[in-house]
């Protein structure tokens, strides 16, 4: 509770004493002709081959506190009350931009509703973002010369360690802009209950471990960012941004287990302590220059260097004798450097637009590791190159985007070197059936590199006779995806039906194998292939044609299969779902979110998504907004995992965080703006690899 109170006062102090705290990467120009065109047409939605364009009426602009409120009304987006950020109702990764530049949540908040021209929603991301996100949302704003904004947002649970906070400020004068922002997410839960079962045959005997643990765990995630931008309209733009991610986490757990070998059972006691921390400073430099009226050249360079420290101590012993079962003492220090460079060119023809570019990213990781296998030093290097070009255009009711790319993945470790070039084509075709109906088809092929934990040679003890480790010999996955999308919209409905099929060659699959030193090891393999197909129905319904009541629904009946390296076929059917009910009346707003968790394939396991049963309301009074809500009504957050019948180890785990059962949260926000900002139309957005952990 002390941490909660301290965080509240700290954020309030930022608002009162500095009043100049963030708004990240923005500054972009929007041509006057384009603004007038949008206002005159006053269209609610316009469907393109790869994206939709939304505009907002006078009533919506007057009700909104800031641009984030407008974006939240899009039919496939919702507010996640747990993180206080926007996300897709369909799942996946959503990237937010302001005039083409990647934007933080606070930066979106710093844009006044009156400045919003339109919102572009890409459910099929363009080539330069396709490897980073499943959806892209680009906020297009007006831009004038001077002004400043500042604000803060704080929400906290009253009876447990749950705090979300942020503060931002931005100042523009002439062609120069300076922005500063700070955010914090704090979690401190002392009552997480975990029940795990391991059941297996080993050396002719039957073993079973039945564990019950109680954990005290938490984390604090902070971000500080400083940005300077200079823009000369129709000539050039320069931006330098320095930000730092500061992360610390801990876990302290105790528990007991019944360990059974054949008909003999004994009681064990266990404990597990661990921590991790890193500070990631990142420098992001961007330069863009117009060459004539039809060409634009952009350059983006991003670099970071930092150290991650991770420790874990797990111990289990027999209660009656005190004899040790295992001692797992793992200490890992990782020195990591990353750099990303991208050069892009855009040329505008009368018939369409040609975008081409080259991106290279390199991550070098040096590890000092002490674990069950002793002390080791090893280094890995991940290099990826990406050449791309795509042409987009429209002929009457027919629109298209044709792209071709070449991707090189070069992963090198002490044990193995993987090098592969892959041709990555993409085709998007669209046809306007009527003014409010369209049909689209998309097909793409791309590689996906293994993540650092999967490639790691680290070993961690999970239970008696059970360890977990990576596989340095993994190869990249190859994903072939196809979608046929029907879209319909009118005053009451905004609806998409997506018939999809995805084939993954050499899919990375987690599974148990026999291990001569420990018994069984949970590791990774390149399975033969995987398939996923189904129908995704998503969108919103407004019974009264207004925001008085909005129903957002996502239903996805689907089938997924995996063919293992030994030829076994694993199959799973599921019905993904998500429901959001919202209402706005004058200065009041209300929202309710519900889902029914479903099992989906996750390596050697079936795992559920996080459960939702949240209700929250807010009241707006001038620049102030007050919020109250209850999350996970009548239930704790719950996460379930179980192994597949083909697994050598029959495993199940149920994880419940009791602290956030019916968690009551209060919060407020204050947002003030005067004048206008300069918004940079940044065409390139990159970031270095996240901290490597296991």
């Amino acid at each position: 509770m002390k941490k909660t109170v301290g965080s509240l006062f700290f954020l309030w102090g930022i608002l009162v004493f500095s009043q100049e705290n963030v708004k990240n990467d923005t500054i972009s120009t929007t041509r006057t002709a384009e603004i007038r065109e949008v206002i005159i047409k006053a269209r609610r939605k316009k469907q393109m081959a790869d994206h939709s364009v939304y505009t907002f009426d006078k009533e919506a602009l007057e009700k909104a506190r800031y641009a984030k409120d407008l974006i939240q009304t899009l039919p496939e987006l919702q507010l996640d009350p747990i993180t206080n950020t926007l996300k897709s109702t369909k799942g996946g990764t959503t990237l937010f931009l302001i005039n083409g530049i990647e934007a933080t949540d606070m930066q979106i908040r710093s844009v006044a509703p009156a400045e919003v021209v339109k919102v572009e929603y890409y459910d099929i991301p363009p080539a330069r973002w396709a490897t980073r996100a499943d959806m892209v949302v680009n906020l297009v704003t007006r831009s004038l010369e001077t002004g400043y904004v500042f604000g803060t947002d704080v929400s906290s649970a009253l009876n447990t360690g749950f705090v979300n906070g942020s503060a931002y400020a931005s100042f523009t004068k002439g062609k120069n802009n300076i922005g500063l922002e700070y955010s914090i997410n704090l979690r401190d839960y002392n009552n997480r209950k975990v029940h795990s079962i391991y059941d297996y045959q080993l050396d002719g005997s039957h073993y079973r471990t039945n564990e019950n643990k109680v954990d005290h765990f938490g984390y604090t995630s902070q971000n500080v960012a400083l940005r300077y931008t200079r823009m000369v309209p129709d000539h050039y733009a320069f931006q330098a941004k320095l930000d730092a991610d500061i992360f610390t986490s801990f876990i302290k757990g105790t528990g007991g287990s019944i360990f059974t070998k054949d008909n003999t059972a004994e009681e064990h006691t266990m404990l597990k302590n661990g921590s991790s921390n890193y500070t990631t400073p990142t420098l992001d430099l961007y330069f863009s220059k117009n060459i004539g009226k039809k060409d634009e050249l952009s350059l983006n360079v991003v670099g970071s260097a930092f150290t991650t420290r991770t420790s874990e101590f797990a111990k289990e012993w027999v209660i009656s004798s005190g004899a040790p079962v295992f001692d797992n003492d793992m200490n890992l220090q990782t020195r990591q450097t990353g750099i990303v460079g991208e050069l892009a060119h855009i040329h505008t023809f009368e018939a369409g637009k040609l975008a081409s570019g080259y991106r290279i990213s390199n991550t070098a990781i040096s590890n000092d590791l002490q674990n069950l296998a002793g002390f080791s030093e090893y280094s890995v290097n991940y290099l990826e190159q990406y050449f791309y070009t795509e042409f987009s255009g429209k002929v009457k009711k027919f629109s298209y985007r044709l792209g071709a790319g070449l991707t090189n993945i070069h992963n090198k470790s002490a044990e193995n070197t993987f090098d592969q070039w892959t041709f990555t084509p993409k085709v998007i075709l669209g046809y306007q059936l009527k003014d409010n109906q369209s049909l689209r088809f998309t097909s793409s092929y791309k590689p996906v590199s293994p993540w650092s934990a999967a490639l790691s040679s680290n070993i961690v003890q999970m239970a008696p006779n059970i360890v977990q480790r990576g596989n340095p010999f993994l190869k990249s996955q190859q994903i072939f995806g196809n979608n046929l999308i029907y879209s319909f919209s009118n005053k009451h409905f905004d609806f998409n039906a997506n018939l999809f099929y995805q084939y993954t060659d050499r899919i990375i699959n987690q599974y148990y194998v026999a291990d001569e030193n420990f018994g069984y090891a949970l590791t990774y393999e390149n399975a033969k292939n995987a398939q996923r197909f189904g129908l995704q129905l998503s969108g919103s319904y407004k019974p009264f044609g207004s925001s008085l009541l909005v129903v957002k629904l996502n239903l996805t009946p689907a089938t997924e299969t995996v063919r293992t390296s030994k030829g076994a076929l694993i199959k799973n059917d599921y019905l993904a779902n998500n429901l959001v009910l919202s209402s706005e009346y004058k200065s009041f707003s209300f929202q309710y979110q519900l889902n029914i968790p479903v099992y989906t394939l996750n390596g050697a396991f079936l795992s559920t998504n996080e459960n939702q049963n949240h209700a929250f309301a807010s009241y707006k009074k001038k620049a102030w907004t007050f919020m109250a809500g209850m999350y996970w009504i009548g239930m704790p957050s719950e996460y379930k995992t179980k192994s597949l019948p083909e697994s050598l180890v029959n495993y199940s785990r149920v994880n419940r965080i009791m602290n956030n059962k019916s968690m009551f949260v209060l919060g407020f926000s204050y947002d003030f703006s005067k004048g206008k900002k300069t918004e940079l139309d940044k065409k390139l957005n990159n970031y270095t690899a996240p901290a490597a952990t296991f």
Side-chain angles (χ1 to χ4, degrees):
M1 199 62 199
K2 290 181 179 179
K3 291 183 179 179
T4 302
V5 175
S7 299
L8 294 173
F9 277 109
F10 178 74
L11 288 163
W12 178 251
I14 290 177
L15 170 67
V16 174
F17 294 109
S18 72
Q19 294 189 345
E20 271 196 21
N21 220 6
V22 229
K23 192 182 121 203
N24 232 353
D25 327 299
T26 32
I27 21 183
S28 171
T29 55
T30 304
R31 293 173 299 178
T32 304
E34 182 181 10
I35 295 174
R36 289 174 179 169
E37 181 184 12
V38 173
I39 293 175
I40 292 172
K41 288 183 177 180
R43 297 191 62 168
R44 177 72 176 87
K45 178 184 179 182
K46 185 176 182 181
Q47 183 66 58
M48 310 296 184
D50 58 351
H51 71 284
S52 306
V53 177
Y54 290 89
T55 57
F56 304 93
D57 57 23
K58 181 180 179 181
E59 181 183 1
L61 295 174
E62 290 176 348
K63 283 185 176 181
R65 295 169 293 173
Y66 33 59
K68 181 179 175 180
D69 286 347
L70 297 174
I71 296 177
Q72 184 182 329
T73 64
L74 268 60
E76 294 182 347
L77 292 178
Q78 69 179 67
L79 177 69
D80 180 3
I82 311 306
T83 60
N84 196 29
T85 57
L86 297 173
K87 68 177 184 180
S88 171
T89 60
K90 302 189 296 186
T93 302
T94 303
L95 181 66
F96 293 93
L97 315 171
I98 296 180
N99 297 316
I101 183 172
E102 187 172 348
T104 64
D105 182 77
M106 283 177 285
Q107 191 173 336
I108 296 172
R109 281 176 48 202
S110 69
V111 178
E115 297 175 33
V116 176
V117 176
K118 60 184 178 180
V119 174
E120 299 170 337
Y121 177 73
Y122 289 85
D123 53 355
I124 307 171
R128 64 180 179 268
W129 298 308
T131 59
R132 296 184 48 198
D134 302 292
M135 282 76 62
V136 174
V137 180
N138 184 34
L139 178 66
V140 179
T141 69
R142 299 178 179 85
S143 173
L144 292 181
E145 290 295 316
T146 62
Y148 61 89
V149 297
F150 59 85
T152 188
D153 186 297
V154 179
S155 61
S156 175
L158 300 185
N159 58 350
T160 190
F162 178 96
V163 177
N164 292 327
S166 62
Y168 65 89
S170 179
F171 176 72
T172 301
K173 186 174 183 179
K175 301 177 178 64
N176 302 286
N177 173 271
I178 296 176
L180 176 67
E181 71 180 37
Y182 171 79
S183 65
I184 181 172
N185 298 102
L186 182 147
R187 305 291 184 267
D188 191 341
Y189 297 131
N190 61 8
N191 190 13
R192 177 174 66 170
K193 295 181 178 180
V194 183
H195 179 218
S196 304
I197 294 176
Y198 296 87
D199 193 292
Y200 52 91
Q201 296 286 334
L202 182 63
D203 297 331
S205 296
H206 175 246
Y207 290 85
R208 181 181 176 87
T209 297
N210 192 329
E211 298 179 352
N212 284 286
K213 294 189 294 184
V214 177
D215 290 339
H216 178 194
F217 81 100
Y219 66 84
T220 302
S221 176
Q222 302 176 80
N223 178 268
V224 183
L226 174 65
R227 170 184 41 83
Y228 167 74
T229 307
R230 177 173 175 81
M231 189 194 70
V232 180
D234 301 320
H235 185 34
Y236 75 87
F238 169 77
Q239 179 171 279
K241 186 179 75 168
L242 178 64
D243 74 303
D245 287 315
I246 306 166
F247 180 84
T248 60
S249 67
F250 71 90
I251 180 173
K252 298 177 181 178
T254 59
S257 70
I258 304 297
F259 178 72
T260 304
K261 179 180 180 183
D262 295 327
N263 296 321
T264 303
E266 57 186 22
E267 295 185 13
H268 292 183
T269 296
M270 65 186 69
L271 66 84
K272 181 178 180 180
N273 296 331
S275 65
S276 180
N277 67 84
Y278 59 81
T279 298
T280 309
T282 302
L283 179 63
D284 185 339
L285 300 175
Y286 171 81
F287 180 76
S288 177
K289 182 174 176 60
N290 293 335
I291 305 173
K293 295 183 178 180
K294 296 185 177 182
D295 293 88
E296 182 180 15
L297 192 65
S298 302
L299 175 66
N300 184 214
V301 179
V302 183
S304 66
F306 60 99
T307 299
T308 301
R309 293 176 176 85
T310 305
S311 66
E312 180 179 302
F313 178 71
K315 182 179 181 180
E316 186 169 327
W317 66 93
V318 181
I319 294 178
S320 59
S321 64
V325 178
F326 68 78
D327 285 296
N328 176 40
D329 192 357
M330 190 270 288
N331 288 279
L332 174 64
Q333 179 172 288
T334 301
R335 295 176 298 279
Q336 182 170 331
T337 59
I339 187 167
V340 180
E342 184 171 4
L343 180 66
H345 173 257
I346 298 175
H347 181 79
T348 302
F349 297 92
E350 290 186 6
K353 184 178 291 186
L354 178 67
S356 304
Y358 167 72
R359 181 170 68 243
I360 182 172
S361 63
N362 188 82
T363 301
I365 302 175
S366 178
N367 300 280
D368 292 343
L369 174 64
Q370 177 73 48
N371 62 8
L372 292 170
F375 179 77
S376 64
E377 295 179 336
Y378 66 96
S379 299
V380 294
N381 195 88
Y382 309 118
L383 174 68
E384 183 170 322
Q385 301 180 78
Y386 179 43
F387 299 86
Y388 63 87
T389 184
E390 62 179 7
F391 185 83
S392 57
K394 185 176 182 180
V395 179
K396 295 183 179 179
K397 293 185 177 182
F398 178 75
S399 54
Y400 60 90
R401 196 175 92 206
L402 306 176
L406 189 62
T407 302
N408 171 239
I409 294 176
H410 184 91
N411 295 334
K412 184 178 181 180
S413 67
E415 296 89 350
N416 184 46
T417 298
F418 174 77
D419 186 90
Q420 177 177 282
W421 290 87
T422 305
F423 178 61
T424 54
K426 189 165 191 174
V427 176
I428 301 171
L429 306 174
Y431 184 76
Q432 198 75 25
L433 300 172
K434 295 182 179 179
D435 287 343
N436 64 340
Q437 298 179 60
S438 66
L439 194 64
R440 295 177 290 156
F441 172 76
T442 173
S443 182
S444 64
Y445 183 78
K446 65 179 181 180
V448 176
S449 182
W451 49 100
S452 59
L455 290 168
S456 171
S457 58
N458 191 14
I459 301 174
V460 176
Q461 188 88 45
M462 307 300 293
N465 303 317
I466 306 289
V467 297
Q468 180 179 348
R469 66 168 186 249
N471 179 5
F473 297 93
L474 289 175
K475 299 178 180 179
S476 65
Q477 307 175 96
Q478 310 288 326
I479 300 177
F480 176 53
N482 299 272
N483 299 271
L484 181 62
I485 307 169
Y486 168 76
S487 299
F488 172 82
S489 64
N490 61 19
K491 182 179 180 180
H492 299 281
F493 288 95
D494 196 329
F495 169 78
N496 289 315
N498 178 13
L499 187 65
F500 63 89
Y501 171 76
Q502 180 176 291
Y503 178 88
T504 305
D505 189 36
R506 295 196 315 234
I507 186 170
I508 297 173
N509 183 49
Q510 199 174 26
Y511 72 126
Y512 284 102
V513 296
D515 187 287
E516 60 182 10
N517 296 317
F518 300 103
Y520 288 104
L522 179 62
T523 187
Y524 298 85
E525 69 165 357
N526 281 111
K528 290 185 177 180
N529 58 68
Q531 299 182 71
R532 190 171 68 91
F533 55 90
L535 176 65
Q536 186 173 67
L537 306 173
S538 61
S540 66
Y541 170 56
K542 298 179 178 179
F544 308 107
S546 68
S547 58
L548 182 62
L549 178 62
V550 181
V551 181
K552 294 183 181 181
L553 183 66
N554 174 59
L555 288 175
T556 308
T559 296
E560 52 186 353
T561 63
V562 172
R563 180 76 67 176
T564 69
S565 59
K566 294 183 179 180
L569 181 65
I570 301 170
K571 183 181 178 181
N572 179 54
D573 300 317
Y574 64 91
L575 177 60
N577 59 91
N578 189 73
L579 172 67
V580 179
L581 300 176
S582 64
S583 177
E584 291 184 11
Y585 179 73
K586 294 184 178 179
S587 298
F588 293 91
S589 65
F590 172 80
Q591 192 166 139
Y592 175 71
Q593 300 178 0
L594 175 70
N595 73 356
I596 301 174
V598 296
Y599 282 101
T600 56
L601 283 175
N602 183 17
F605 310 104
L606 289 167
S607 301
T608 60
N609 52 316
E610 185 178 79
N611 53 320
Q612 288 183 185
N613 190 24
H614 314 315
F616 49 99
S618 64
Y619 172 74
K620 178 186 175 184
K621 181 69 174 177
K622 294 184 179 179
W624 294 87
T625 302
F626 303 92
M627 184 276 292
M630 182 174 288
Y631 307 153
W632 291 289
I633 301 172
M635 63 181 71
S637 59
E638 184 176 68
Y639 315 87
K640 296 180 179 180
T641 300
K642 60 183 180 180
S643 59
L644 298 159
E646 295 81 4
S647 177
L648 294 175
V649 176
N650 183 13
Y651 170 76
S652 66
R653 173 187 172 101
V654 179
N655 179 349
R656 295 185 175 94
I657 304 176
M658 306 307 296
N659 296 85
N660 53 31
K661 179 180 179 180
S662 299
M663 183 172 66
F664 186 63
V665 175
L666 291 176
F668 72 89
S669 67
Y670 178 82
D671 300 272
F672 180 82
S673 63
K674 184 176 181 180
K676 306 291 182 182
K677 280 87 49 199
T678 304
E679 304 293 338
L680 171 65
D681 188 7
K682 183 179 176 187
K683 302 300 181 183
L684 304 179
N685 304 278
N686 293 290
Y687 59 88
T688 55
T693 58
F694 185 82

